[in-house]
Amino acid sequence: MDHFVPILNWKLKQRSHTFRGQDGGTCINEAAIVAAGFPYQPVRAVVDMPACFSRPICRLAMQLNDEASDEEQQHLLPFVTRLACADTSMVEREREAYIAARMRWRLPFRDGLTVLEGALAIGRQADALSAEEAQTRMEGVQQNAPGPTSETDHALFAKVQGWFIGLF
């Protein structure tokens, strides 16, 4: 994980995010899109991912991200540059079967990471991306973020506030 030190200021959070904050403030799949060189976009479901991303692997990454504690989520950062590894439909089915056979029950987070690592070993690997390139891409998104924190950090407050605006 040492070569990911440059992007450790990117903070992974649960669920999708309407826009990113300067803290990173995205789910793992949104961070992976940025690291792969695509413009930032919210990911509410795996179908929102660009075609070069493995659906079964991104689905597992999303599950791990959303079920993890804040501290555990940061252990997903080394996987950010590895999710753009879509392969043939046969390989994708093999990945799906591998994951399904091992994720039948709720596993501890560390065991889920082991399953993710195993699924990533099947088929095509993501194109090599230097830590510097990932850092540059992710910093570019952070610098252009509209605010210091992600919108979802304030979304509930904004929703409740919206309900009361019409009352006064």
Side-chain angles (χ1 to χ4, degrees):
M1 190 158 131
D2 291 342
H3 65 285
F4 282 91
V5 171
I7 65 169
L8 288 180
N9 62 341
W10 192 278
K11 184 167 177 57
L12 296 179
K13 297 185 177 182
Q14 291 180 327
R15 298 184 220 353
S16 178
H17 302 86
T18 304
F19 61 82
R20 68 270 167 244
Q22 293 166 356
D23 60 350
T26 66
C27 74
I28 184 171
N29 288 330
E30 292 163 345
I33 287 172
V34 171
F38 291 95
Y40 172 82
Q41 69 180 53
V43 176
R44 290 174 182 79
V46 175
V47 297
D48 296 333
M49 300 296 291
C52 63
F53 286 82
S54 169
R55 299 303 192 249
I57 289 173
C58 288
R59 189 174 297 110
L60 174 57
M62 184 181 291
Q63 176 184 343
L64 292 172
N65 183 89
D66 289 349
E67 292 176 357
S69 68
D70 290 345
E71 183 181 324
E72 289 171 332
Q73 284 168 336
Q74 305 324 302
H75 292 281
L76 289 166
L77 280 169
F79 296 95
V80 164
T81 60
R82 299 177 61 197
L83 304 183
C85 62
D87 207 321
T88 65
S89 57
M90 186 167 73
V91 170
E92 292 301 304
R93 284 191 303 272
E94 184 179 344
R95 288 172 171 168
E96 185 80 46
Y98 175 89
I99 293 167
R102 287 156 181 80
M103 296 295 292
R104 290 185 182 176
W105 300 276
R106 184 176 169 97
L107 295 176
F109 179 77
R110 290 282 182 190
D111 293 344
L113 287 181
T114 301
V115 174
L116 179 58
E117 188 69 53
L120 283 163
I122 298 169
R124 186 181 85 76
Q125 307 300 296
D127 295 334
L129 179 67
S130 72
E132 294 79 23
E133 184 66 23
Q135 176 184 4
T136 299
R137 291 173 180 176
M138 295 173 98
E139 283 178 350
V141 170
Q142 285 176 304
Q143 289 171 359
N144 293 321
T149 58
S150 304
E151 182 177 284
T152 55
D153 291 338
H154 307 290
L156 181 59
F157 175 74
K159 187 173 189 175
V160 171
Q161 184 181 29
W163 293 336
F164 290 106
I165 286 175
L167 297 176
F168 300 102

